[in-house]
Amino acid sequence: MIKAILFDADGVLISGRKFSEFLASRHNINVSKLTSFFTGPFRDCTLGKADLKEIIRPYLREWGWRGTVDEFLRSWFEIEHDLDKKLVEYIKALKKNGIKCFLATNQEKYRIAYMLKEMGFSRLFDKVFASVHMGFRKPDLEFFGKVMDDLPNFKKDEILFWDDTLENIEAAREFGIKAEIYKDFEDFESKMRNYLTA
């Protein structure tokens, strides 16, 4: 029986327009330039090995951003502040029924701080697992190992993980916990009925 559920943030709880798309359209930036940053230097930030405000500064000039670093981050976080309200309410209902709900996300320290405070994730979730605090990113198996270390009262087969990235789902299953790909709320709700009645 499922007793705890892990939720990814981007692509699951957070939908809508990506900030990279906004930058590409508003500032006419080649998307490949953005991709090279987010798949390169940015990864160190999500592992706590680099500070985003420090490493992004030279890229902002290249991208044509005329404001400050703080203004850039604020704009980024606010544009991607698009929560799936149906899913949020579903999570609240799960908690009322005794199921523990956790966030499991690859994030750097400034955005996870925004999520906790401005998005209300500190109130919504029983605990937040962010890569920057754990030193590992999904799909590393060590990420899930750290989660389990922090949840000693749960067995692997009592935990369900939702993510929109297949690689992360496959890693979770390899680790031994149940995992499902998140497509949309309707598909999620349908699959959850099977888990909750099993």
Side-chain angles (χ1 to χ4, degrees), residues 4 6 102 127 129 146-154 159:
L6 304 171
F102 307 98
K127 191 173 181 64
F129 297 103
K146 286 277 191 179
V147 170
M148 286 302 302
D149 288 345
D150 219 6
L151 301 177
N153 297 325
F154 297 96
I159 298 175

Side-chain angles (χ1 to χ4, degrees), residues 46-62:
T46 64
L47 291 169
K49 296 180 179 179
D51 188 301
L52 179 59
K53 290 185 179 182
E54 295 176 3
I55 69 166
I56 203 171
R57 198 178 303 274
Y59 289 91
L60 295 186
R61 290 193 291 270
E62 180 182 346

Side-chain angles (χ1 to χ4, degrees), residues 4-117:
I5 304 178
L6 304 171
F7 292 89
D8 178 37
D10 296 297
V12 178
L13 274 150
I14 301 170
S15 54
R17 192 180 192 189
K18 292 184 177 295
F19 187 58
S20 57
E21 296 172 358
F22 164 79
L23 285 176
S25 62
R26 177 68 66 87
H27 295 276
N28 196 29
I29 300 169
N30 188 306
V31 176
S32 64
K33 289 185 177 181
L34 300 172
T35 301
S36 65
F37 171 76
F38 285 105
T39 59
F42 180 70
R43 290 177 65 90
D44 282 342
C45 299
T46 64
L47 291 169
K49 296 180 179 179
D51 188 301
L52 179 59
K53 290 185 179 182
E54 295 176 3
I55 69 166
I56 203 171
R57 198 178 303 274
Y59 289 91
L60 295 186
R61 290 193 291 270
E62 180 182 346
W63 296 343
W65 182 264
R66 297 183 179 181
T68 66
V69 171
D70 286 335
E71 288 169 344
F72 179 88
L73 296 186
R74 189 72 187 181
S75 179
W76 169 6
F77 301 162
E78 289 179 349
I79 284 172
E80 293 192 348
H81 189 145
D82 190 2
L83 293 177
D84 186 325
K85 295 179 181 178
K86 288 183 180 179
L87 184 53
V88 169
E89 292 305 312
Y90 194 100
I91 291 171
K92 291 178 180 178
L94 286 171
K95 292 177 64 179
K96 286 182 179 178
N97 288 318
I99 295 178
K100 296 293 185 180
C101 295
F102 307 98
L103 187 71
T105 180
N106 292 337
Q107 299 293 337
E108 57 79 40
K109 66 180 181 181
Y110 298 111
R111 188 158 183 250
I112 193 60
Y114 179 91
M115 288 179 171
L116 290 171
K117 183 179 179 182

